[in-house]
Amino acid sequence: MSFKLSTKEVVGVAIGAALFGVLMVYGGITVFTNTKLSSAYVIPVIIGALFGPIPAALVGLIGNFFADFLGGWGYWIDWSVGNFFACFFIGSLQLYGARIKRGIFTTKHALIFSIVSILGIGVSFGLITPLLTLLLFSGEVTITFSQAFAAVISNATVVLVVGIPLLFGLSKRYESQSNLIEED
């Protein structure tokens, strides 16, 4: 099985990763040690809506590497891997029927998006990232899991509070450009 990204997807990932990285460093409010309420999480919502879960996941992975470089923090592979998985779940809209570019995003899709995103962020930053931190860097357990908890709450908040209205807006924009009508 081979996997290929189209030219549009490659460009979307590149621009998305750059924006994600910049917003991780400069577009947030510190909520705990090295953890921010970051506007960066709007980017995988958009990339996922337009291109799917793999491009969204790549935005999280590459964008986190870029943020580490830009912020001068050193490379934190544990958080990059966490962002990869979190952004995959955030961008998985197409897997449960949402078709933003065809104007299809309903209340049911918003509910599924909420559940999938919260679970994905929870597993990514509540389990994968802290376990990798402990294994790779021998991080202090209390701080590691406190950072993880802060990341889950802050990232889920941005994804839900900003992401859902954004998805409805994008869907409406694309719907108005097409003659497609959703049938029940």
Side-chain angles (χ1 to χ4, degrees), residues 5-178:
L5 293 175
S6 71
T7 303
K8 281 184 180 182
E9 290 169 330
V10 169
V11 171
V13 167
I15 292 169
L19 287 171
F20 188 86
V22 168
L23 291 172
M24 288 287 287
V25 176
Y26 301 111
I29 301 164
T30 301
V31 294
F32 190 74
T33 305
N34 298 326
T35 310
K36 293 181 179 183
L37 175 70
S38 178
S39 57
Y41 273 84
V42 171
I43 305 304
V45 171
I46 295 168
I47 297 298
L50 299 178
F51 303 115
I54 298 296
L58 292 172
V59 163
L61 178 73
I62 298 165
N64 195 92
F65 276 122
F66 182 60
D68 288 345
F69 172 76
L70 188 62
W73 304 316
Y75 293 104
W76 294 93
I77 188 72
D78 48 345
W79 286 91
S80 295
V81 170
N83 274 307
F84 176 86
F85 285 106
C87 293
F88 177 87
F89 285 105
I90 292 166
S92 67
L93 294 114
Q94 296 171 1
L95 300 178
Y96 48 85
R99 301 285 185 265
I100 301 300
K101 291 198 282 191
R102 289 182 34 207
I104 301 170
F105 187 74
T106 64
T107 303
K108 177 181 105 178
H109 294 124
L111 179 62
I112 296 169
F113 172 78
S114 300
I115 293 166
V116 168
S117 294
I118 289 169
L119 289 175
I121 291 168
V123 167
S124 298
F125 296 118
L127 186 62
I128 294 171
T129 298
L131 291 177
L132 286 173
T133 301
L134 295 171
L135 288 171
L136 298 173
F137 303 109
S138 300
E140 199 279 320
V141 174
T142 304
I143 290 176
T144 298
F145 280 97
S146 296
Q147 281 181 312
F149 179 75
V152 169
I153 298 300
S154 61
N155 295 338
T157 299
V158 171
V159 167
L160 298 180
V161 171
V162 179
I164 290 173
L166 180 64
L167 290 169
F168 276 115
L170 277 172
S171 177
K172 182 111 8 236
R173 178 186 180 276
Y174 278 103
E175 180 183 46
S176 69
Q177 294 178 351
S178 96

